[in-house]
Amino acid sequence: MVNQEDEIDLKVILFNYLQYWPLILVFALLGLLSAFLFNRLTTPVYKIESTVIVEDENAALGADLFESAGLLGLQGKSNIENEIGILKSFSLAQAALNELNFNVRYYREDFLKKTEAYGNFPILVSVDWNKPQVVGGLFKVEVIDENSFELSVEEEGFSVFYPNDPYYKGRLEELLFEKKIFRFGELVKGESFEFKIEKVSAQPNEIFYFKLVDTPSLALSYKEQLQAAPSNKQSSIVTLGLETPLRRMGEDYLNKLMETYLQRELDDKNRTAENTIKFIDQQLSGITDSLRGSENQLEQYRSENKIFNLSEEGSIIFERLSEYEKEKGLNEINLKYLQTLRDYLSSGLSGELISPSIIGTTDPLLNALVQNLSELQAERVRLTANFSDQTPQVRDINSRIQNTTKALQENVNSAIVNTQNVLADINGRIRTIEQEINALPQTERKLLSYTRQFTITENIYIYFLQKKAEAEITQASNMPSNKILDFAKSGQLPIAPKRSLNLLIGLILGLIVPIGFITVKDFLNTKIEDPKELEKQIKVPLIGMIGRNNSTDALPVFNNPRSSVTESFRSLRADLAYLSPQKQNLTILFTSSISGEGKTFVSLNMASVFALMGKKTVLIGLDLRKPKIAQDFGMVNDKGISTCLSSDTPWQSVVKHSGFENLDLILSGPIPPNPAELLLQEKFKTIVTEIKAEYDVVIFDCPPVGLVSETKELFSYADVNFYVFRQGYSMKGNTHILNNLVEKGGITKMYAILNDLHIDKGYGYGYGYGYGYGYGNNSYGYHEEVQIPWWKRALRRQR
C-alpha cells in the first residue's frame, strides 16, 4: 500500500507540472538558445602542452662523505619543485617575452565581439618601449586608402608604462587623443605614447583594433596562467600547460620559455668556466712580463759569457732543483688559491666560486664542498627571485649555505696549514741544493741561477696556459642537463567552451526556472487546488466533485442535460442513496465557509436533478443576508421565508413555481434586520416540519457557516449536510472550520463537495468522481464537451 501511495503521489506531482507544459517548454527553449549564444559568442580556448626532462646530476667526488651530514642536500639529485619554481618564475617569463613580439595585441571585428589575431596581420605597429607608452586601452584603425588611415580610441582604461620604473604604471583616467588621419609609416606621437603603424596587406575600408601591453604585465599574466607539474610522483618529467585562445601564440611562448630555461641553465654552468678563465688571465698578465724578463737575462748572460750549457754536475743539480722549484710553484699557486678562497668566505661575498680542480687541487672533500656551495648559492638566487627571505625554502637554503661555508672554512684553514708545511719542507730541500751550487764555478753558478729563474716562470706560465685551455674546452663542451622532451603542441579541439555541457546546463536551467517558480507558487498558494490534499485535511468524506460550468447558465442540469457538470450532479444524487438509505423524504443542507464558493449553484442543480427524477422538490433560500436564488431564476425576491417568519403569512403563500416540473422555490424574501433571530424561532421549526411533510426532497441553501452563526442551528433540520469548497478559491484554512464543526460542534452526517473543479492535479482526480473520466466523446459518447488533451490520454494509458 505504501508503494502504491508513493506512486500516486508521483503522478499527482507530474500532473501538477504538466499543466504548465507550455511555460516549461518555452523556458527550456530559452535555456537552449542562451547556451547556444554563449557557445557562439565565447572565444574558444585551447590547451597547449609541452614536456621537459629534468636530469639528475652526477655527484661530485667525495660528496657522499657529507650527504649524510646534510651539507650536500642538493648534490647528486634534482629538486623537481625548485625547477618547477624556476619555470613558473616571473624573471624567466620576462626573459622569454623579451625575445617575442607580444607587446602589440591585434583584433578584428567579429560577430558581436572582437576576436584577437596572431601572426600575419594586415598592419604592423612598431613601438619604442624606451619611452613612456600608454597600455591597456584599445585603439581603432580604419583604413581610408592605400596610404592613410584614421586612428581613434575605441575603449578607455589606459595606463602609462614608464621604462625607468617598469613595474609601476600610472593610471590614466582619459587619453586626450582626438580622432585623426595619419599616413602609414608616420610617427604617431603624443604626451604618453609614440608608435608607428605600417601597412602590410590592409585594404581600404577595413577596420582593425590593437592594444599595447608592456612586458612586465605580460610576464605576470603568463606566470599566473602557466601550469607546471610532474607527470607523476616518481617522474622527473615536468609537463607545462597553458590555456589560450591563440594556439600559435601559446605554442611560441611555451617553446621560447623552454629555450630560455635551458639557456639559463647553460649560462649558469658557463659562468664558472668564465670566472676561471678570468682568474687565469689575471695571473698570466703578471707572469708574462716576468717570463719575458728572465728570458732576456738568460740570453744576455749566455751571449756575454759565451756559455750555453751547464756541466754534467751542474745539470744534475739543476734537474733536482727544477723538480723542487716546480713542486714549490704548484704549492704556492695552491696556497694563493686557498688564501683567496678563505678571504672570499670570510667576506661573505656572493659570487661564483672557482673550482679547486681547475687550479690543480685534488682534495676530493674540498672539491665537493666548493661545488656544493656554488650550487647552493645559485639555488638561493633562483629562489629569492620568486620568494621572500622569510619563506621556508629560502630559510632552508640559507641554513645549508651557512653550514657548508663553516665546513669549507675549516677545511680551507687546514689545507693552508698543510700547504705551508709542505712549502717549508720544499724550501729546506732547496736550501740544501743551493749549498751544493755554491761549490760550482761562479760562471756556471750564475748561469744556473738565470736558467733556474726562467724555468720556474716558464713552468708556471705553461701550467696556467694548460688550465686555461682546459677551462675553455669545458666551457665549449657544456650542455644543459635538462632537455626538451616534447615541444609545445595544441589540442585539436578547444577545452572551452564545452558546447554539449553548456547546452545541457542551459536546458537544465531552463527547466529549473519554471519548475522552481511553479513549486514556490504552489508552496505559497493558500487556496485549495488538489482534491487529494483536501481529502487529507478534512475529517469528513469528500463525497463528490462538481466540474466547472463553462456556460453562463446557472441551471445546466435543466438546460444542458448531456454536460459533464450535469453528470456530476447525477453522480452525487446516486451517492445520497447510500448516505441516507431507506429514507422516503430527504432533507439536504448546503453551506460553505465564505460567500462565492458556489453553494447556491450546487443547491439549485441538486434540486434540479431530484426534480428530473420525479421527486417533488422544494429549494428553500435561507441565506437571508445575501440571497441569489431569485436572480438565477429571473424572479423578484419580494416574499419568502423571511416574510413568513416576520409575519403571520403562511408558508404556502410564498411558494413559487420554478417553471420546471416538480421543482418549487421558497425564496429568502426581503432582507430582515435580524436574520439570525428569525431562524431561531419555534415558528421556523414548525414551518420546516410542514414542508417536509409536503415534499419528497427539501433542500436548504444556507448562509456561509464561517461568516454567520445561525447556520449551526440549521444542521439539526437536515438529514444530510454538505460543506462546499471551491477549487482555486477556498482558503486551505477553511478546512479547520469544517473540522471544528464535526469534532467540537457534534455535527453528524456531514460531507464535503469540491466545486468548480477545473485544474487537473493528478491522475484519478479532476477527471474522477463522474466528472469527465470515461464520459467525453473520446470515450463512451455520453457527453458533448471536454476534449481531453492528448498528453493526458497518453499518460492514462500508462495506468
Side-chain angles (χ1 to χ4, degrees), residues 442-454:
Q442 181 179 3
T443 304
E444 189 171 356
R445 192 167 58 247
K446 286 187 177 182
L447 176 61
L448 190 146
S449 176
Y450 288 133
T451 305
R452 172 189 174 188
Q453 184 178 359
F454 171 75

Side-chain angles (χ1 to χ4, degrees), residues 406-447:
K406 183 178 179 182
L408 185 56
Q409 284 176 330
E410 295 175 355
N411 189 271
V412 168
N413 291 332
S414 177
I416 289 176
V417 173
N418 292 335
T419 303
Q420 289 174 343
N421 292 334
V422 172
L423 283 173
D425 180 65
I426 294 174
N427 287 330
R429 295 181 185 182
I430 291 175
R431 285 193 295 270
T432 302
I433 295 176
E434 286 178 346
Q435 292 176 1
E436 296 179 10
I437 293 175
N438 291 332
L440 295 175
Q442 181 179 3
T443 304
E444 189 171 356
R445 192 167 58 247
K446 286 187 177 182
L447 176 61

Side-chain angles (χ1 to χ4, degrees), residues 181-198:
I181 297 177
F182 297 89
R183 297 183 65 82
F184 286 110
E186 181 182 353
L187 185 64
V188 180
K189 187 175 182 180
E191 182 179 353
S192 303
F193 57 89
E194 184 174 327
F195 53 83
K196 292 181 181 180
I197 300 180
E198 303 285 348

Side-chain angles (χ1 to χ4, degrees), residues 125-138:
V125 181
S126 302
V127 185
D128 185 1
W129 289 102
N130 293 320
K131 298 180 180 179
Q133 298 289 351
V134 290
V135 294
L138 193 66

Side-chain angles (χ1 to χ4, degrees), residues 162 242 249 251 269 425 511 640 686 693 709 737:
Y162 299 100
L242 186 68
M249 177 179 282
E251 292 172 355
K269 287 187 173 183
D425 180 65
L511 294 173
T686 303
S709 59
I737 301 176

Side-chain angles (χ1 to χ4, degrees), residues 366-477:
L366 184 62
N367 276 281
L369 288 171
V370 171
Q371 183 176 348
N372 189 66
L373 181 59
S374 179
E375 291 177 356
L376 288 170
Q377 289 177 338
E379 187 63 28
R380 180 173 62 180
V381 172
R382 295 174 184 175
L383 289 175
T384 52
N386 300 289
F387 305 101
S388 68
D389 292 339
Q390 301 303 319
T391 56
Q393 296 94 329
V394 177
R395 293 172 63 183
D396 178 68
I397 206 73
N398 287 334
S399 176
R400 290 179 180 274
I401 289 176
Q402 184 178 359
N403 293 335
T404 305
T405 301
K406 183 178 179 182
L408 185 56
Q409 284 176 330
E410 295 175 355
N411 189 271
V412 168
N413 291 332
S414 177
I416 289 176
V417 173
N418 292 335
T419 303
Q420 289 174 343
N421 292 334
V422 172
L423 283 173
D425 180 65
I426 294 174
N427 287 330
R429 295 181 185 182
I430 291 175
R431 285 193 295 270
T432 302
I433 295 176
E434 286 178 346
Q435 292 176 1
E436 296 179 10
I437 293 175
N438 291 332
L440 295 175
Q442 181 179 3
T443 304
E444 189 171 356
R445 192 167 58 247
K446 286 187 177 182
L447 176 61
L448 190 146
S449 176
Y450 288 133
T451 305
R452 172 189 174 188
Q453 184 178 359
F454 171 75
T455 303
I456 292 172
T457 308
E458 183 183 35
N459 288 337
I460 295 175
Y461 182 77
I462 293 173
Y463 177 79
F464 276 122
L465 286 180
Q466 180 183 354
K467 292 302 179 181
K468 180 179 179 181
E470 291 175 358
E472 289 174 342
I473 292 172
T474 301
Q475 181 180 12
S477 62

Side-chain angles (χ1 to χ4, degrees), residues 281-301:
D281 286 337
Q282 291 174 352
Q283 303 302 317
L284 285 175
S285 63
I287 295 175
T288 302
D289 294 336
S290 299
L291 179 62
R292 187 177 296 110
S294 60
E295 183 181 11
N296 292 336
Q297 286 180 347
L298 178 59
E299 291 179 357
Q300 183 179 0
Y301 182 78

Side-chain angles (χ1 to χ4, degrees), residues 271-284:
R271 196 170 294 116
T272 300
E274 292 171 357
N275 290 337
T276 301
I277 294 172
K278 182 179 179 181
F279 173 79
I280 294 174
D281 286 337
Q282 291 174 352
Q283 303 302 317
L284 285 175

